[in-house]
Amino acid sequence: MRRVLTGFSIFTLTVVFLGGSFSSVGEVYAAEINSKLNISGYEETSVARAEETVWYYRMQNGVTEKRLWSITRRVWLTDWMPV
């Protein structure tokens, strides 16, 4: 009976140490990559967003033309082109 408990105890401790060390290292590593603390102590996260654009239209010499404006970067993305 004593050998069974000792073998089981060694097995349990091995599983706890291996399982615990892998999971805690992974969690700490992920936390370091995904979050940053600013001066006030609050967490900052970055979010990827799509660029926002809008088409502008005009009439030039009887021809309707369009041009693409980037709201995000505040620059023209295309030249005037016929519709």
Short mmCIF file of all heavy atoms in Angstrom, two decimals, residues 3-19:
data_model
loop_
_atom_site.label_atom_id
_atom_site.label_comp_id
_atom_site.label_asym_id
_atom_site.label_seq_id
_atom_site.Cartn_x
_atom_site.Cartn_y
_atom_site.Cartn_z
N ARG A 3 3.90 1.64 -1.29
CA ARG A 3 4.52 1.84 -2.59
C ARG A 3 3.53 2.46 -3.58
O ARG A 3 3.88 3.30 -4.36
CB ARG A 3 5.03 0.53 -3.16
CG ARG A 3 6.30 0.09 -2.55
CD ARG A 3 6.82 -1.11 -3.28
NE ARG A 3 8.11 -1.48 -2.76
CZ ARG A 3 8.73 -2.59 -3.05
NH1 ARG A 3 8.15 -3.46 -3.85
NH2 ARG A 3 9.91 -2.84 -2.56
N VAL A 4 2.29 2.06 -3.52
CA VAL A 4 1.27 2.59 -4.43
C VAL A 4 1.07 4.07 -4.16
O VAL A 4 1.02 4.88 -5.08
CB VAL A 4 -0.06 1.81 -4.28
CG1 VAL A 4 -1.15 2.48 -5.08
CG2 VAL A 4 0.12 0.37 -4.70
N LEU A 5 0.97 4.48 -2.92
CA LEU A 5 0.78 5.89 -2.59
C LEU A 5 2.00 6.71 -3.00
O LEU A 5 1.89 7.81 -3.50
CB LEU A 5 0.48 6.06 -1.11
CG LEU A 5 -0.88 5.56 -0.65
CD1 LEU A 5 -1.02 5.72 0.85
CD2 LEU A 5 -1.99 6.32 -1.36
N THR A 6 3.19 6.17 -2.79
CA THR A 6 4.40 6.88 -3.14
C THR A 6 4.50 7.05 -4.65
O THR A 6 4.80 8.13 -5.15
CB THR A 6 5.65 6.14 -2.61
OG1 THR A 6 5.49 5.95 -1.21
CG2 THR A 6 6.90 6.92 -2.87
N GLY A 7 4.24 6.01 -5.40
CA GLY A 7 4.27 6.09 -6.87
C GLY A 7 3.21 7.04 -7.38
O GLY A 7 3.46 7.84 -8.28
N PHE A 8 2.02 6.96 -6.81
CA PHE A 8 0.93 7.86 -7.21
C PHE A 8 1.28 9.30 -6.85
O PHE A 8 1.01 10.21 -7.63
CB PHE A 8 -0.37 7.43 -6.53
CG PHE A 8 -1.53 8.29 -6.90
CD1 PHE A 8 -2.11 8.18 -8.15
CD2 PHE A 8 -2.03 9.23 -6.02
CE1 PHE A 8 -3.17 8.98 -8.51
CE2 PHE A 8 -3.09 10.03 -6.37
CZ PHE A 8 -3.67 9.91 -7.62
N SER A 9 1.89 9.52 -5.69
CA SER A 9 2.27 10.86 -5.28
C SER A 9 3.31 11.45 -6.23
O SER A 9 3.22 12.62 -6.61
CB SER A 9 2.83 10.85 -3.86
OG SER A 9 1.85 10.38 -2.97
N ILE A 10 4.30 10.65 -6.61
CA ILE A 10 5.32 11.13 -7.54
C ILE A 10 4.69 11.47 -8.88
O ILE A 10 4.97 12.51 -9.48
CB ILE A 10 6.44 10.08 -7.70
CG1 ILE A 10 7.22 9.96 -6.38
CG2 ILE A 10 7.38 10.45 -8.85
CD1 ILE A 10 8.23 8.85 -6.37
N PHE A 11 3.80 10.61 -9.36
CA PHE A 11 3.11 10.86 -10.63
C PHE A 11 2.29 12.15 -10.54
O PHE A 11 2.31 12.99 -11.44
CB PHE A 11 2.22 9.66 -10.97
CG PHE A 11 1.36 9.90 -12.18
CD1 PHE A 11 1.91 9.88 -13.45
CD2 PHE A 11 0.01 10.17 -12.05
CE1 PHE A 11 1.13 10.11 -14.57
CE2 PHE A 11 -0.78 10.40 -13.15
CZ PHE A 11 -0.22 10.37 -14.42
N THR A 12 1.56 12.34 -9.45
CA THR A 12 0.72 13.53 -9.28
C THR A 12 1.57 14.79 -9.24
O THR A 12 1.24 15.80 -9.88
CB THR A 12 -0.11 13.41 -8.00
OG1 THR A 12 -0.86 12.20 -8.03
CG2 THR A 12 -1.04 14.57 -7.84
N LEU A 13 2.64 14.77 -8.49
CA LEU A 13 3.52 15.93 -8.41
C LEU A 13 4.15 16.26 -9.77
O LEU A 13 4.27 17.43 -10.13
CB LEU A 13 4.61 15.72 -7.36
CG LEU A 13 4.13 15.74 -5.90
CD1 LEU A 13 5.28 15.37 -4.97
CD2 LEU A 13 3.58 17.11 -5.56
N THR A 14 4.53 15.23 -10.50
CA THR A 14 5.11 15.45 -11.83
C THR A 14 4.10 16.12 -12.75
O THR A 14 4.42 17.08 -13.45
CB THR A 14 5.56 14.10 -12.44
OG1 THR A 14 6.47 13.47 -11.54
CG2 THR A 14 6.22 14.31 -13.79
N VAL A 15 2.87 15.62 -12.73
CA VAL A 15 1.82 16.21 -13.58
C VAL A 15 1.54 17.65 -13.16
O VAL A 15 1.41 18.54 -14.00
CB VAL A 15 0.53 15.36 -13.51
CG1 VAL A 15 -0.63 16.09 -14.15
CG2 VAL A 15 0.76 14.01 -14.17
N VAL A 16 1.48 17.91 -11.87
CA VAL A 16 1.21 19.27 -11.38
C VAL A 16 2.33 20.22 -11.78
O VAL A 16 2.08 21.32 -12.27
CB VAL A 16 1.00 19.26 -9.85
CG1 VAL A 16 1.01 20.68 -9.31
CG2 VAL A 16 -0.29 18.56 -9.50
N PHE A 17 3.58 19.82 -11.59
CA PHE A 17 4.70 20.69 -11.94
C PHE A 17 4.80 20.93 -13.43
O PHE A 17 4.97 22.07 -13.88
CB PHE A 17 6.03 20.12 -11.42
CG PHE A 17 6.21 20.29 -9.95
CD1 PHE A 17 6.69 19.25 -9.16
CD2 PHE A 17 5.92 21.50 -9.33
CE1 PHE A 17 6.87 19.42 -7.80
CE2 PHE A 17 6.09 21.67 -7.98
CZ PHE A 17 6.56 20.62 -7.20
N LEU A 18 4.68 19.88 -14.23
CA LEU A 18 4.77 20.06 -15.67
C LEU A 18 3.58 20.85 -16.21
O LEU A 18 3.73 21.77 -17.00
CB LEU A 18 4.87 18.70 -16.37
CG LEU A 18 6.18 17.96 -16.18
CD1 LEU A 18 6.14 16.62 -16.88
CD2 LEU A 18 7.35 18.79 -16.69
N GLY A 19 2.40 20.48 -15.80
CA GLY A 19 1.20 21.17 -16.27
C GLY A 19 1.15 22.60 -15.78
O GLY A 19 0.82 23.52 -16.53
#
